[in-house]
Amino acid sequence: MTRRYPGRVIVLTIVFCVCLLCLAVQYKYSDGAKFYSYRLVPFSWPARIESWDYRDTAAEKQCFNGDLQTSGSDNNTLQKIPNVVHFIWGLKDPDIDSNARKFSFANYLAIRAALVSLNPDQVKLHYSYLDQTSEWFQKAQHNLTLVYHDPHAMSKDIPSTWHTAHMSDVLRLQILRDEGGIYMDMDVYAFQPFDTLLRGAKSAFMGHEGGNRFGLCNGVIVAAKDAPFLSRWLKTYDDFVEGSEWNYHSVVLPKQLEQKYPDEICALSPAAFFWPTWSQGDVDFMHEPLSTAEAVDVQAVVDGNKGALYQNQLAYHAWNQVAFRPYLLHLTPEKIMAHDTRFNILMRRFLE
């Protein structure tokens, strides 16, 4: 007869669960930018995204510093990337697009951050539909070059039946292929100049998404005109089927292309643009109230990192899909000054 030990099984199960919880809190950063991942189950997908040792790889450091040599080509022949910022707004009629939003203070702040941090030659706002009566657009417009994209003409290359996000995914690649420059989503806040990238060793730069570096996010793309990586990436949209995926072509696929064609693109560390991540825990971390002592610590970290929360952080993607309703929608200049959060502390220097 086989003996059964139900009590022992229960005890071992409890011990196993406790061990998992202990592992969940092992990732923390010990200064004002510290983050605890205790909300997540270890080995789950969010836990793998959020967990990172805050160390850049050797290649990421070389990409960031602009001294990575490209095999088989002379760095001096690479076309310089122009210091021109491209934003995209309103590709669908807001009367029929349920995802359409008004031009908000948070969007204005993204433009301000680009102007202050990047000192660009131009900031272009590419649009099809734009309410130019918006208070915050009017405050920003004297610093913008407006570029209209006729929706009917655009539909020849980008089907209007696609989700707005996927339409924008293709348009940003077309813009950079034709003009070069810096593309940023309207919820990306630049902290430092991109100078080392603009004169860097390769013709395209992107940042890793997630601590496990599972993808390269298209929320920020820095590229020269006619960069081979862009044309290669654009070609893959010939087989795109709306509704079959969300971020494969925009995050996962560019990582796969980078692994196949490493001479065409520099992949930067998660901290460069996309840290903390899009998980609810990470977004809450950026917007949670701080005590006076915590605020002092965070300000010291930001001052030490030249306006950023992390070393070698050039910008922060605020993850609008997660952060908009609970946080970004309610932002005002007064709230940024009055309430101490990591996000607000980072944004204060961009207020006029």
Side-chain angles (χ1 to χ4, degrees):
M1 179 184 295
T2 302
R3 293 187 177 183
R4 299 179 183 275
Y5 301 96
R8 184 177 298 176
V9 171
I10 293 172
V11 170
L12 289 174
T13 301
I14 293 173
V15 170
F16 178 74
C17 291
V18 170
C19 288
L20 286 181
L21 290 174
C22 290
L23 284 171
V25 297
Q26 71 178 356
Y27 293 98
K28 60 182 179 180
Y29 198 49
S30 59
D31 58 24
K34 63 185 176 183
F35 173 66
Y36 299 91
S37 58
Y38 61 87
R39 295 183 181 91
L40 302 172
V41 177
F43 314 122
S44 68
W45 182 243
R48 295 197 300 273
I49 294 297
E50 287 190 346
S51 301
W52 182 40
D53 61 6
Y54 296 89
R55 297 176 182 174
D56 296 359
T57 67
E60 288 168 347
K61 289 178 182 178
Q62 289 177 314
C63 277
F64 185 89
N65 294 328
D67 56 7
L68 185 67
Q69 297 298 313
T70 304
S71 62
S73 67
D74 181 355
N75 284 15
N76 295 324
T77 67
L78 292 173
Q79 185 169 343
K80 184 181 178 183
I81 301 172
N83 191 17
V84 174
V85 177
H86 302 276
F87 291 106
I88 293 176
W89 182 264
L91 297 184
K92 285 193 176 183
D93 187 340
D95 292 333
I96 61 175
D97 181 13
S98 60
N99 295 306
R101 291 171 177 156
K102 292 185 177 179
F103 196 95
S104 67
F105 170 64
N107 302 133
Y108 163 80
L109 202 55
I111 292 170
R112 276 286 302 163
L115 289 166
V116 171
S117 300
L118 304 180
N119 191 27
D121 297 326
Q122 232 179 347
V123 177
K124 294 188 175 184
L125 183 65
H126 300 259
Y127 75 98
S128 293
Y129 300 90
L130 175 63
D131 178 7
Q132 300 191 26
T133 66
S134 160
E135 171 193 0
W136 292 110
F137 170 77
Q138 290 187 348
K139 284 184 69 70
Q141 66 177 337
H142 66 282
N143 289 309
L144 297 174
T145 299
L146 299 183
V147 183
Y148 174 70
H149 294 262
D150 182 86
H152 300 292
M154 194 167 58
S155 65
K156 296 176 182 177
D157 296 322
I158 309 173
S160 59
T161 54
W162 285 8
H163 190 285
T164 310
H166 296 147
M167 294 174 66
S168 174
D169 288 345
V170 174
L171 182 60
R172 71 192 66 182
L173 297 181
Q174 294 176 336
I175 292 168
L176 290 177
R177 176 198 61 192
D178 296 341
E179 302 183 33
I182 301 166
Y183 169 81
M184 296 194 295
D185 281 349
M186 290 294 297
D187 58 344
V188 172
Y189 302 90
F191 295 149
Q192 299 185 54
F194 288 13
D195 293 350
T196 59
L197 309 188
L198 299 181
R199 61 174 185 266
K202 296 186 183 181
S203 59
F205 295 80
M206 294 178 69
H208 278 110
E209 179 179 320
N212 61 349
R213 297 174 170 85
F214 81 99
L216 294 172
C217 179
N218 71 349
V220 181
I221 307 171
V222 182
K225 178 181 177 181
D226 295 323
F229 187 83
L230 300 180
S231 298
R232 194 182 300 281
W233 188 2
L234 262 173
K235 184 65 178 173
T236 69
Y237 277 92
D238 291 348
D239 302 323
F240 179 80
V241 178
E242 180 60 57
S244 63
E245 62 171 86
W246 177 250
N247 69 344
Y248 174 75
H249 272 75
S250 59
V251 177
V252 179
L253 181 59
K255 172 70 174 183
Q256 294 174 348
L257 292 175
E258 181 264 338
Q259 291 174 325
K260 285 185 178 180
Y261 307 99
D263 278 355
E264 295 181 356
I265 183 169
C266 255
L268 302 172
S269 82
F273 307 126
F274 304 113
W275 195 265
T277 71
W278 44 259
S279 75
Q280 188 66 59
D282 274 20
V283 171
D284 291 343
F285 169 76
M286 290 298 293
H287 295 276
E288 66 187 8
L290 302 176
S291 68
T292 300
E294 287 173 327
V296 170
D297 286 345
V298 170
Q299 186 64 65
V301 170
V302 170
D303 291 343
N305 290 326
K306 301 178 181 178
L309 196 57
Y310 302 101
Q311 231 180 2
N312 295 346
Q313 184 182 30
L314 298 176
Y316 170 61
H317 190 290
W319 309 109
N320 197 60
Q321 282 193 304
V322 179
F324 179 73
R325 293 195 180 280
Y327 301 117
L328 301 182
L329 174 63
H330 309 291
L331 274 183
T332 66
E334 294 75 20
K335 287 182 179 179
I336 284 181
M337 292 305 300
H339 303 298
D340 287 332
T341 69
R342 291 174 180 83
F343 182 84
N344 289 353
I345 289 171
L346 287 164
M347 294 299 115
R348 284 172 183 165
R349 67 188 177 100
F350 303 130
L351 299 180
E352 292 182 283

